[in-house]
Short mmCIF file of all heavy atoms in Angstrom, two decimals:
data_model
loop_
_atom_site.label_atom_id
_atom_site.label_comp_id
_atom_site.label_asym_id
_atom_site.label_seq_id
_atom_site.Cartn_x
_atom_site.Cartn_y
_atom_site.Cartn_z
N LYS B 261 -71.27 95.97 308.22
CA LYS B 261 -71.48 97.20 307.48
C LYS B 261 -71.43 98.40 308.43
O LYS B 261 -72.06 98.39 309.49
CB LYS B 261 -72.82 97.19 306.76
CG LYS B 261 -72.96 96.07 305.73
CD LYS B 261 -71.98 96.27 304.56
CE LYS B 261 -72.21 95.23 303.47
NZ LYS B 261 -71.24 95.37 302.36
N ILE B 262 -70.67 99.43 308.03
CA ILE B 262 -70.53 100.60 308.87
C ILE B 262 -71.87 101.28 309.11
O ILE B 262 -72.13 101.81 310.19
CB ILE B 262 -69.52 101.60 308.25
CG1 ILE B 262 -69.21 102.73 309.24
CG2 ILE B 262 -70.01 102.13 306.92
CD1 ILE B 262 -68.46 102.31 310.48
N GLU B 263 -72.77 101.23 308.10
CA GLU B 263 -74.07 101.89 308.27
C GLU B 263 -74.93 101.19 309.31
O GLU B 263 -75.81 101.80 309.93
CB GLU B 263 -74.83 101.96 306.93
CG GLU B 263 -75.05 100.63 306.25
CD GLU B 263 -73.97 100.31 305.23
OE1 GLU B 263 -72.82 100.78 305.40
OE2 GLU B 263 -74.27 99.57 304.26
N ASN B 264 -74.68 99.91 309.53
CA ASN B 264 -75.40 99.19 310.58
C ASN B 264 -74.81 99.48 311.95
O ASN B 264 -75.54 99.69 312.92
CB ASN B 264 -75.39 97.69 310.31
CG ASN B 264 -76.25 97.30 309.13
OD1 ASN B 264 -77.15 98.03 308.74
ND2 ASN B 264 -75.97 96.14 308.55
N LEU B 265 -73.50 99.51 312.03
CA LEU B 265 -72.84 99.81 313.30
C LEU B 265 -73.14 101.21 313.80
O LEU B 265 -73.12 101.48 315.00
CB LEU B 265 -71.32 99.64 313.16
CG LEU B 265 -70.78 98.23 312.93
CD1 LEU B 265 -69.27 98.28 312.73
CD2 LEU B 265 -71.13 97.31 314.10
N THR B 266 -73.39 102.13 312.85
CA THR B 266 -73.60 103.54 313.22
C THR B 266 -75.05 103.97 313.10
O THR B 266 -75.33 105.17 313.08
CB THR B 266 -72.73 104.45 312.32
OG1 THR B 266 -73.08 104.21 310.94
CG2 THR B 266 -71.25 104.16 312.53
N ASN B 267 -75.96 103.03 313.04
CA ASN B 267 -77.38 103.39 312.98
C ASN B 267 -77.76 104.20 314.23
O ASN B 267 -77.57 103.74 315.35
CB ASN B 267 -78.24 102.13 312.90
CG ASN B 267 -79.71 102.44 312.75
OD1 ASN B 267 -80.12 103.10 311.79
ND2 ASN B 267 -80.53 101.99 313.70
N GLY B 268 -78.26 105.41 314.03
CA GLY B 268 -78.61 106.27 315.15
C GLY B 268 -77.49 107.18 315.61
O GLY B 268 -77.67 107.97 316.54
N LEU B 269 -76.33 107.09 314.97
CA LEU B 269 -75.17 107.91 315.36
C LEU B 269 -75.47 109.38 315.08
O LEU B 269 -75.89 109.74 313.97
CB LEU B 269 -73.94 107.47 314.56
CG LEU B 269 -72.63 108.20 314.87
CD1 LEU B 269 -72.08 107.75 316.21
CD2 LEU B 269 -71.61 107.94 313.76
N PRO B 270 -75.26 110.27 316.05
CA PRO B 270 -75.49 111.70 315.83
C PRO B 270 -74.61 112.25 314.71
O PRO B 270 -73.49 111.78 314.49
CB PRO B 270 -75.11 112.32 317.18
CG PRO B 270 -75.32 111.22 318.18
CD PRO B 270 -74.92 109.97 317.46
N ASP B 271 -75.11 113.25 314.01
CA ASP B 271 -74.41 113.83 312.88
C ASP B 271 -73.03 114.36 313.24
O ASP B 271 -72.12 114.36 312.40
CB ASP B 271 -75.23 114.98 312.27
CG ASP B 271 -76.51 114.49 311.60
OD1 ASP B 271 -76.63 113.26 311.38
OD2 ASP B 271 -77.38 115.32 311.29
N ILE B 272 -72.84 114.80 314.46
CA ILE B 272 -71.56 115.39 314.87
C ILE B 272 -70.41 114.39 314.78
O ILE B 272 -69.24 114.79 314.73
CB ILE B 272 -71.63 115.97 316.30
CG1 ILE B 272 -72.05 114.88 317.30
CG2 ILE B 272 -72.54 117.17 316.35
CD1 ILE B 272 -71.99 115.33 318.75
N PHE B 273 -70.73 113.09 314.74
CA PHE B 273 -69.69 112.07 314.68
C PHE B 273 -69.52 111.47 313.28
O PHE B 273 -68.67 110.59 313.09
CB PHE B 273 -69.99 110.94 315.66
CG PHE B 273 -70.11 111.37 317.10
CD1 PHE B 273 -71.18 110.96 317.88
CD2 PHE B 273 -69.14 112.18 317.67
CE1 PHE B 273 -71.29 111.35 319.21
CE2 PHE B 273 -69.25 112.59 319.00
CZ PHE B 273 -70.34 112.16 319.77
N HIS B 274 -70.33 111.90 312.33
CA HIS B 274 -70.30 111.28 311.00
C HIS B 274 -68.95 111.44 310.31
O HIS B 274 -68.44 110.48 309.71
CB HIS B 274 -71.41 111.88 310.13
CG HIS B 274 -72.76 111.32 310.44
ND1 HIS B 274 -73.86 111.53 309.64
CD2 HIS B 274 -73.19 110.53 311.47
CE1 HIS B 274 -74.91 110.91 310.17
NE2 HIS B 274 -74.52 110.30 311.28
N GLU B 275 -68.38 112.63 310.36
CA GLU B 275 -67.10 112.84 309.69
C GLU B 275 -66.03 111.90 310.24
O GLU B 275 -65.25 111.31 309.48
CB GLU B 275 -66.64 114.29 309.84
CG GLU B 275 -65.32 114.59 309.14
CD GLU B 275 -64.89 116.04 309.27
OE1 GLU B 275 -65.63 116.84 309.89
OE2 GLU B 275 -63.80 116.37 308.78
N PHE B 276 -66.02 111.73 311.53
CA PHE B 276 -65.03 110.85 312.17
C PHE B 276 -65.22 109.41 311.74
O PHE B 276 -64.25 108.71 311.39
CB PHE B 276 -65.12 110.98 313.68
CG PHE B 276 -64.15 110.09 314.44
CD1 PHE B 276 -62.81 110.40 314.50
CD2 PHE B 276 -64.60 108.95 315.08
CE1 PHE B 276 -61.92 109.59 315.18
CE2 PHE B 276 -63.72 108.13 315.78
CZ PHE B 276 -62.38 108.45 315.82
N MET B 277 -66.46 108.93 311.75
CA MET B 277 -66.72 107.52 311.49
C MET B 277 -66.68 107.16 310.00
O MET B 277 -66.38 106.04 309.65
CB MET B 277 -68.07 107.11 312.08
CG MET B 277 -68.08 107.01 313.60
SD MET B 277 -66.89 105.80 314.26
CE MET B 277 -67.41 104.30 313.45
N TYR B 278 -66.97 108.13 309.13
CA TYR B 278 -67.08 107.82 307.71
C TYR B 278 -65.87 108.26 306.88
O TYR B 278 -65.77 107.92 305.70
CB TYR B 278 -68.35 108.44 307.12
CG TYR B 278 -69.62 107.99 307.77
CD1 TYR B 278 -70.72 108.84 307.86
CD2 TYR B 278 -69.75 106.70 308.30
CE1 TYR B 278 -71.91 108.42 308.45
CE2 TYR B 278 -70.92 106.28 308.89
CZ TYR B 278 -72.00 107.14 308.97
OH TYR B 278 -73.18 106.73 309.56
N GLU B 279 -64.96 109.01 307.50
CA GLU B 279 -63.79 109.48 306.78
C GLU B 279 -62.53 108.81 307.36
O GLU B 279 -62.60 107.99 308.26
CB GLU B 279 -63.69 111.01 306.85
CG GLU B 279 -64.90 111.74 306.28
CD GLU B 279 -65.11 111.48 304.79
OE1 GLU B 279 -64.10 111.20 304.10
OE2 GLU B 279 -66.25 111.57 304.32
N GLU B 280 -61.37 109.21 306.82
CA GLU B 280 -60.12 108.63 307.30
C GLU B 280 -59.78 109.13 308.71
O GLU B 280 -60.13 110.25 309.06
CB GLU B 280 -58.98 109.00 306.33
CG GLU B 280 -59.18 108.49 304.92
CD GLU B 280 -59.20 106.97 304.82
OE1 GLU B 280 -58.80 106.29 305.78
OE2 GLU B 280 -59.61 106.47 303.77
N PRO B 281 -59.11 108.29 309.52
CA PRO B 281 -58.57 106.97 309.17
C PRO B 281 -59.55 105.81 309.40
O PRO B 281 -59.26 104.69 309.01
CB PRO B 281 -57.39 106.84 310.11
CG PRO B 281 -57.82 107.58 311.34
CD PRO B 281 -58.63 108.75 310.84
N VAL B 282 -60.70 106.08 310.03
CA VAL B 282 -61.63 105.00 310.33
C VAL B 282 -62.11 104.32 309.05
O VAL B 282 -62.29 103.10 309.01
CB VAL B 282 -62.84 105.53 311.14
CG1 VAL B 282 -63.87 104.42 311.36
CG2 VAL B 282 -62.37 106.07 312.48
N LYS B 283 -62.27 105.10 307.99
CA LYS B 283 -62.74 104.54 306.72
C LYS B 283 -61.84 103.41 306.24
O LYS B 283 -62.33 102.39 305.73
CB LYS B 283 -62.81 105.65 305.66
CG LYS B 283 -63.36 105.19 304.32
CD LYS B 283 -63.46 106.37 303.35
CE LYS B 283 -64.02 105.94 302.01
NZ LYS B 283 -64.11 107.09 301.07
N SER B 284 -60.54 103.56 306.36
CA SER B 284 -59.60 102.53 305.94
C SER B 284 -59.40 101.45 307.00
O SER B 284 -59.25 100.27 306.68
CB SER B 284 -58.25 103.15 305.58
OG SER B 284 -58.35 103.98 304.45
N LEU B 285 -59.41 101.85 308.26
CA LEU B 285 -59.20 100.89 309.34
C LEU B 285 -60.37 99.91 309.45
O LEU B 285 -60.18 98.75 309.80
CB LEU B 285 -59.04 101.63 310.67
CG LEU B 285 -57.74 102.40 310.89
CD1 LEU B 285 -57.84 103.25 312.15
CD2 LEU B 285 -56.55 101.45 310.97
N LYS B 286 -61.59 100.39 309.15
CA LYS B 286 -62.83 99.64 309.31
C LYS B 286 -63.21 99.59 310.79
O LYS B 286 -62.47 100.03 311.68
CB LYS B 286 -62.73 98.23 308.73
CG LYS B 286 -62.21 98.17 307.31
CD LYS B 286 -63.08 98.95 306.34
CE LYS B 286 -62.56 98.82 304.92
NZ LYS B 286 -63.34 99.65 303.96
N SER B 287 -64.38 99.04 311.08
CA SER B 287 -64.89 98.95 312.44
C SER B 287 -65.66 97.65 312.64
O SER B 287 -66.35 97.18 311.73
CB SER B 287 -65.84 100.13 312.75
OG SER B 287 -65.19 101.36 312.64
N THR B 288 -65.52 97.11 313.85
CA THR B 288 -66.37 95.99 314.25
C THR B 288 -67.30 96.41 315.38
O THR B 288 -68.22 95.68 315.73
CB THR B 288 -65.55 94.76 314.68
OG1 THR B 288 -64.55 95.16 315.63
CG2 THR B 288 -64.88 94.12 313.47
N PHE B 289 -67.04 97.58 315.98
CA PHE B 289 -67.98 98.10 316.97
C PHE B 289 -67.88 99.62 317.05
O PHE B 289 -66.86 100.21 316.71
CB PHE B 289 -67.77 97.47 318.36
CG PHE B 289 -66.50 97.87 319.07
CD1 PHE B 289 -66.45 98.98 319.89
CD2 PHE B 289 -65.35 97.08 318.94
CE1 PHE B 289 -65.28 99.33 320.55
CE2 PHE B 289 -64.18 97.42 319.60
CZ PHE B 289 -64.15 98.54 320.41
N CYS B 290 -68.96 100.24 317.50
CA CYS B 290 -69.02 101.69 317.65
C CYS B 290 -69.98 102.02 318.78
O CYS B 290 -71.11 101.50 318.82
CB CYS B 290 -69.49 102.34 316.34
SG CYS B 290 -69.74 104.14 316.44
N ILE B 291 -69.54 102.86 319.70
CA ILE B 291 -70.41 103.36 320.78
C ILE B 291 -70.20 104.85 320.91
O ILE B 291 -69.16 105.38 320.48
CB ILE B 291 -70.12 102.65 322.13
CG1 ILE B 291 -68.68 102.92 322.58
CG2 ILE B 291 -70.41 101.16 322.05
CD1 ILE B 291 -68.38 102.39 323.99
N TRP B 292 -71.16 105.54 321.50
CA TRP B 292 -71.03 106.99 321.61
C TRP B 292 -71.83 107.53 322.79
O TRP B 292 -72.72 106.87 323.33
CB TRP B 292 -71.49 107.65 320.31
CG TRP B 292 -72.93 107.41 319.96
CD1 TRP B 292 -74.02 108.13 320.37
CD2 TRP B 292 -73.44 106.35 319.13
NE1 TRP B 292 -75.17 107.59 319.85
CE2 TRP B 292 -74.85 106.52 319.07
CE3 TRP B 292 -72.85 105.30 318.41
CZ2 TRP B 292 -75.66 105.65 318.34
CZ3 TRP B 292 -73.66 104.44 317.69
CH2 TRP B 292 -75.04 104.62 317.66
N SER B 293 -71.49 108.77 323.15
CA SER B 293 -72.21 109.48 324.21
C SER B 293 -72.29 110.96 323.85
O SER B 293 -71.28 111.55 323.45
CB SER B 293 -71.51 109.31 325.57
OG SER B 293 -72.15 110.10 326.56
N VAL B 294 -73.46 111.54 323.99
CA VAL B 294 -73.61 112.97 323.74
C VAL B 294 -73.91 113.74 325.03
O VAL B 294 -73.69 114.95 325.09
CB VAL B 294 -74.70 113.26 322.69
CG1 VAL B 294 -74.24 112.84 321.31
CG2 VAL B 294 -76.01 112.58 323.05
N ASP B 295 -74.41 113.06 326.04
CA ASP B 295 -74.69 113.74 327.30
C ASP B 295 -73.56 113.60 328.31
O ASP B 295 -73.61 114.15 329.41
CB ASP B 295 -76.01 113.24 327.91
CG ASP B 295 -75.98 111.77 328.31
OD1 ASP B 295 -74.90 111.13 328.21
OD2 ASP B 295 -77.04 111.24 328.71
N GLY B 296 -72.51 112.83 327.93
CA GLY B 296 -71.37 112.66 328.81
C GLY B 296 -71.54 111.59 329.86
O GLY B 296 -70.61 111.32 330.62
#
């Protein structure tokens, strides 16, 4: 489930992860960095 993979994901990345093309491609993993 995308909501499990993105638990804790900052709001700035929500559009990318929840909209196209990721929405159609689906995901098996997600990682992120906000401090670089």
Side-chain angles (χ1 to χ4, degrees):
K261 299 294 185 182
I262 189 67
E263 57 266 28
N264 290 338
L265 292 176
T266 58
N267 183 59
L269 182 74
D271 292 347
I272 57 173
F273 301 132
H274 282 191
E275 181 179 358
F276 179 75
M277 287 301 302
Y278 301 148
E279 301 297 333
E280 299 296 346
V282 175
K283 183 178 181 180
S284 294
L285 288 171
K286 309 301 182 184
S287 298
T288 50
F289 70 89
C290 176
I291 61 173
W292 61 87
S293 175
V294 289
D295 64 6

